[in-house]
Amino acid sequence: MYDSIIIGGGPAGLTAGIYLARANKKILILEKETIGGQIASSFSIQNYPGFSEINGAEFASNLYDQVTSFGGEIDIANVIKIEDGKVKKVYTEDSVYEAKTVIIATGVRHNKLGLSGEEEMIGNGIHYCATCDGAFYKDSDVAVIGGANTAVTNALFLSDLCKNVYVIYRGEKLKCESVLEECLMKKDNVTVLYDTVVSKLIGSNELESIEIKNNNETRNLDVKALFLAIGMVAESSLAGDLLKVDDGKYFIAEDTFTKIDGIFVAGDCRSKTVRQLTTATSDGTIAAMNVLEYIKKL
């Protein structure tokens, strides 16, 4: 039996794994897709303390090495069910594991456009975080898709770095807070394109330009980067019926504690206001510390 099973091998889950394995606890991290999660696909990370710049894949690899160097186990497996009890049971498609505690760190997935070539261009012209990747497009023309707070905030940030910023929104009016809209309209290098959608991505593995459609008119827009801010979906279906979630389906877990003793939540799948690499690793640390205290009382 494991002291803790961590579901999700992103920065939050791997950080929790480092702390627990270093404390000589028997742990298993189960990740269904890519070790490191979404950060592994980032071309460059420049906003993590201690690193002026590091490739996302290298960062994820370093976390993996730290976990395993302390004896932590990591496996690729899709968790389909969690069962509560004095002993927690975690079911994958092939196995059943038992543990004293469970940390859910399943993260989120960004909504995508569903266009041809999109997956190949992620990190090579298509991005989700302006504060993470905007600096790579200094003095270039870029576009932001979306009309809510995140999209407008991204556009404002990019306007101070980039030559021209296009905000592409399918609606007739932005959905952001009025104060953000007022700030956006004061920017001379920002153009809002209403009733407009991106209909095609142009480029081979790297974005060169986009095709946009307004009503029945189609034209090309030369931008070097496209920042998507069309919402995120919490990866909470695994335990959405077991734990409390908010209106956005994010797990409600104050300080990583859930309503169920011995089950904790860390990272972007947790209901909170800021989702960054640093807040994910912070959650992982807190969850690990809470697990250690919980185990002491058993």
Side-chain angles (χ1 to χ4, degrees), residues 24 36 127 166 185 188 196 228 234 247 257 261 272 288 293:
N24 294 318
H127 305 273
Y166 298 92
M185 296 307 168
D188 294 332
T196 303
L228 273 59
D247 292 340
F257 287 100
D261 290 343
K272 55 183 179 177
E293 287 300 312

Side-chain angles (χ1 to χ4, degrees), residues 17 54 82 112 142 147 152 186 198 256 273 276 298:
I54 186 170
I82 302 170
K112 298 177 182 178
V142 302
V152 175
K186 292 177 182 178
V198 176
T256 77
T273 55
Q276 289 285 305
L298 292 179

Side-chain angles (χ1 to χ4, degrees), residues 6 18 53-54 74 102 110 123 126 147 155 161-162 198-199 205 214 226 245 249-250 286 293:
I6 301 166
I18 290 169
E53 181 177 13
I54 186 170
I74 301 177
V102 171
H110 292 275
I126 293 183
L161 293 171
C162 303
V198 176
S199 52
N205 296 325
N214 176 271
L226 191 60
V245 296
K249 303 301 181 183
Y250 292 92
I286 294 168
E293 287 300 312

